Amino acid sequence: MITTKDLTKVYRSGDRQVTALDGVDLHVREGEVYGVVGTSGAGKSTLIRCVNMLERPSSGTVTVDGLDLTALAGNEHRAGRELREARRRIGMVFQHFNLLSSRTVQENVELPLEITGLDRHARRRKAAELLELVGLADKARSYPGQLSGGQKQRVGIARALAGDPKVLLSDEATSALDPETTRSVLRLLRDLNQQLGLTVLLITHEMDVIKSVCDSAALMRGGRVVESGTLTDLLADERSELARELFPLSEFGTGRPDGTVLEITFQGDTSGQPFVSQLARTYQIDVNILGAAVETIGGRMVGRMRVELSGSHQDNVVPIGYLREQGLQVDVLNGPNGLNGPNSLDGLTATNGAVA
Amino acid sequence: MTWDDMQPLLWTATQETFQMVGIATLVTLLLGLPLGVLLVLTDQGGPLRNRPVNKVVGAIVNVGRSLPFVILLVALIPFTRWVVGTTIGWQAATVPLAVGAIPFFARLVESAVRGVDRGLVEAIHAMGGSTWAVVRKALLPEALPALVSALTTTVIALVGYSAMAGTVGGGGLGNLAITYGYMRFETNFMIVIVIELILLVAVVQLLGDFAVRRLSHRGTSAGLLSRLRRA
């Protein structure tokens, strides 16, 4: 639905150059919620503003719903007719809401429809529908100044949806809100994504946002996408920085030197299995649980468990094979063939140190 | 002079002042508002950014503002004759009044419009609005209270200027004050005229402040406002 290819953005002022985007390839599939996370200055804001050409990329292409926006006429300050029409099909919500204080809530939601030239009755009907959808039907005649932050952002979302967009861009939409309100706004985005089949691209600096609404995520640093993929894939990859941030296990114990330490990740269907007791029963072995955590990430149950089996790796090849057969992801953290690899205990301690 | 002598003179002069200030205000609004908006739009970062146009318009406005009004009054005589066909009377005075007030108002408009949050401009762009939509839907409505306040200041300045124009045959209350109060030593009449001018300015200020309060209060006058905006 949204594809960027080798997107770069260089700001020039005098003879100084700042590279905000450095070859970004992003692929957002239709109907998913895609989160881009990074610290401030990572380029994520520039990225989202390049998607609807509020910023012109220096090079590369942006395709939204099959239309190459970079090919349309206009500059950052003034868009040609085709680009303006393309933008009407892309909703955008902002960190600071950007509502007009001189207009009522309803008039704010009608604004994009006035720009498209819809007649008064159709505008009013659409605005009422949208306010109902975001749960603010009773605030239609209020002014933004009379609303709380969360309500303002709901108005912002209703306004962004006025043109029946297929794509919604969210520029730090919850960053100015308290945790409680953030959750309710995110829940709304998730609902809209599911009810309307809306594709959402959001940028945030909060991991919790990614965790609670996103299907896929990308980590940005220094204008580049360091890592990206579906949350399911990221969590399955124990080298993934994002997964580690989303689901830290650093505080878990590392076991005795003579045992075999396994890290087991289970998602979705496999999370319902009582595999620890099955393992103990089937193979008559002792399983020592060093640590475990279960969380809901992107609407899916994900768990991680670190267990210790007595005996060396060779002694436990069969039970490990059994666990893998159950569809669990098993990483052996020590043992003879893992000593120098990324899975070795030394390597793990080092990474944990970096995370902490 | 008795009050009965003063009354008809005052009445005529007040009417002249109202006409002068009224017409000059109208012309100032019609030309100063677009000029002020143009200054913002053509500036760096504005949707129509255009350095030469911005510099030229800015320079004209600055020159217009720095000329003392008395000089403008005299310097514009040929232009005034060309526009209204005469160089004396209140009709003639409206020309330098408007010319003097346009750059003054334009600068005030510029700063009022600049006060509008840039995020709103971006929001209009993001929803596919043109530059015209930015001006009409965001810049002007959001700056409206500040614009009304700017207009109030301008009208008060015009009342002052109109008295000055009266000293060189421009008609109105200023003319009355010079010809009767000063030249004929009618001190009482002078006092009456001064009081009237003070009252006039006070009333304009009060009306302006009231309008600004109503507009920024958000609620009561919205019906009329939104109808105006969509018309």
Side-chain angles (χ1 to χ4, degrees):
Chain A
M1 188 50 107
I2 304 172
T3 307
T4 72
K5 277 220 179 69
D6 200 22
L7 207 61
T8 62
K9 173 73 187 180
V10 181
Y11 293 103
R12 287 191 179 80
S13 80
D15 48 354
R16 280 186 46 221
Q17 286 194 0
V18 180
T19 307
L21 293 180
D22 189 6
V24 172
D25 293 301
L26 205 67
H27 182 69
V28 182
R29 285 167 304 156
E30 183 161 4
E32 76 173 339
V33 180
Y34 197 109
V36 177
V37 68
T39 51
S40 59
K44 52 193 193 319
S45 193
T46 309
L47 173 63
I48 201 165
R49 292 157 54 80
C50 276
V51 171
N52 63 357
M53 299 288 126
L54 285 179
E55 302 263 8
R56 274 271 157 184
S58 308
S59 70
T61 58
V62 176
T63 314
V64 178
D65 197 15
L67 187 64
D68 180 4
L69 298 185
T70 27
L72 302 179
N75 59 33
E76 285 167 6
H77 307 281
R78 217 173 151 204
R81 165 173 290 275
E82 283 176 314
L83 179 54
R84 291 206 305 271
E85 270 161 21
R87 279 176 177 165
R88 287 170 195 172
R89 297 188 295 271
I90 304 174
M92 190 169 192
V93 286
F94 303 87
Q95 178 174 6
H96 298 295
F97 325 122
N98 294 352
L99 302 175
L100 283 105
S101 62
S102 58
R103 287 173 166 242
T104 63
V105 164
Q106 183 187 328
E107 289 166 343
N108 264 289
V109 178
E110 284 185 21
L111 181 57
L113 302 171
E114 283 173 33
I115 287 172
T116 30
L118 211 64
D119 72 77
R120 167 186 281 266
H121 290 289
R123 284 202 312 255
R124 192 167 288 176
R125 200 166 46 238
K126 184 77 190 174
E129 243 169 61
L130 288 165
L131 287 173
E132 187 76 44
L133 190 66
V134 300
L136 282 178
D138 55 328
K139 298 284 182 195
R141 297 183 149 276
S142 304
Y143 283 84
Q146 302 164 329
L147 302 182
S148 69
Q151 289 172 327
K152 281 184 200 167
Q153 197 55 286
R154 283 166 184 270
V155 178
I157 293 171
R159 182 178 70 178
L161 295 177
D164 291 322
K166 285 186 158 179
V167 172
L168 184 70
L169 306 177
S170 161
D171 185 358
E172 296 272 11
T174 57
S175 299
L177 305 175
D178 61 70
E180 180 77 19
T181 320
T182 295
R183 271 193 292 279
S184 87
V185 167
L186 290 176
R187 211 175 302 127
L188 174 65
L189 283 179
R190 187 84 224 177
D191 290 349
L192 293 170
N193 158 257
Q194 280 160 1
Q195 284 172 27
L196 311 174
L198 195 66
T199 307
V200 181
L201 174 61
L202 63 85
I203 64 162
T204 183
H205 63 270
E206 296 166 315
M207 272 298 165
D208 277 344
V209 172
I210 303 282
K211 201 187 273 189
S212 55
V213 291
C214 294
D215 299 304
S216 300
L219 174 65
M220 278 193 84
R221 189 178 297 139
R224 293 173 160 277
V225 170
V226 187
E227 220 186 307
S228 67
T230 63
L231 288 198
T232 317
D233 291 347
L234 288 170
L235 286 166
D237 178 2
E238 28 88 44
R239 279 159 310 182
S240 159
E241 272 187 67
L242 266 174
R244 231 179 293 132
E245 295 274 336
L246 286 169
F247 204 156
L249 276 175
S250 50
E251 69 276 20
F252 289 1
T254 49
R256 292 189 307 268
D258 55 335
T260 304
V261 178
L262 306 179
E263 199 164 281
I264 302 165
T265 308
F266 44 97
Q267 302 191 36
D269 302 337
T270 55
S271 61
Q273 290 178 29
F275 61 87
V276 173
S277 58
Q278 281 173 357
L279 190 69
R281 240 191 345 261
T282 317
Y283 296 96
Q284 303 288 318
I285 51 172
D286 293 322
V287 182
N288 176 27
I289 297 175
L290 298 171
V294 178
E295 280 208 56
T296 306
I297 298 179
R300 284 163 67 94
M301 282 266 275
V302 180
R304 243 182 214 185
M305 183 182 277
R306 190 172 293 169
V307 299
E308 186 187 34
L309 309 180
S310 54
S312 66
H313 189 197
Q314 279 97 332
D315 301 335
N316 290 303
V317 169
V318 178
I320 292 169
Y322 168 79
L323 289 174
R324 289 195 171 131
E325 265 171 44
Q326 305 300 307
L328 302 166
Q329 185 203 334
V330 182
D331 297 300
V332 183
L333 298 186
N334 63 356
N337 50 1
L339 270 176
N340 299 315
N343 295 349
S344 75
L345 207 55
D346 292 345
L348 184 83
T349 326
T351 12
N352 283 345
V355 171
Chain B
M1 269 177 103
T2 63
W3 175 244
D4 286 339
D5 297 329
M6 294 181 202
Q7 221 182 355
L9 289 168
L10 265 181
W11 179 237
T12 322
T14 306
Q15 274 180 314
E16 285 175 1
T17 295
F18 269 72
Q19 279 164 310
M20 267 192 283
V21 173
I23 291 172
T25 302
L26 208 65
V27 175
T28 301
L29 195 59
L30 285 176
L31 296 177
L33 187 65
L35 214 56
V37 173
L38 192 69
L39 277 171
V40 179
L41 294 182
T42 56
D43 195 17
Q44 233 171 355
L48 301 178
R49 69 166 136 180
N50 187 324
R51 215 178 155 75
V53 171
N54 190 264
K55 288 281 168 221
V56 169
V57 174
I60 292 172
V61 166
N62 281 342
V63 168
R65 283 203 57 189
S66 51
L67 271 183
F69 184 65
V70 187
I71 309 275
L72 197 69
L73 215 51
V74 183
L76 281 180
I77 284 176
F79 179 66
T80 305
R81 183 177 290 128
W82 179 70
V83 175
V84 290
T86 173
T87 58
I88 49 165
W90 70 266
Q91 293 92 336
T94 47
V95 176
L97 278 178
V99 172
I102 288 167
F104 179 77
F105 184 58
R107 276 288 178 223
L108 294 178
V109 168
E110 186 195 1
S111 81
V113 172
R114 243 182 240 292
V116 175
D117 184 359
R118 290 186 58 87
L120 300 179
V121 176
E122 197 168 281
I124 302 274
H125 279 148
M127 58 182 82
S130 58
T131 303
W132 175 234
V134 168
V135 172
R136 218 167 68 96
K137 305 286 183 187
L139 295 183
L140 293 183
E142 288 292 304
L144 195 59
L147 289 174
V148 170
S149 172
L151 190 66
T152 309
T153 309
T154 306
V155 171
I156 288 170
L158 277 172
V159 172
Y161 285 170
S162 79
M164 220 188 282
T167 62
V168 291
L173 289 167
N175 188 31
L176 207 60
I178 289 294
T179 48
Y180 286 84
Y182 177 67
M183 292 176 178
R184 299 191 193 175
F185 304 105
E186 296 282 358
T187 313
N188 289 341
F189 199 22
M190 182 68 120
I191 291 168
V192 169
I193 293 166
V194 167
I195 290 172
E196 186 182 339
L197 280 170
I198 290 171
L199 285 177
L200 201 61
V201 168
V203 166
V204 171
Q205 187 68 60
L206 275 174
L207 284 176
D209 288 349
F210 176 72
V212 170
R213 256 202 315 281
R214 280 294 285 259
L215 291 174
S216 31
H217 213 252
R218 314 274 174 246
T220 36
S221 55
L224 174 71
L225 257 179
S226 44
R227 244 170 279 142
L228 278 175
R229 238 192 336 257
R230 296 214 195 86

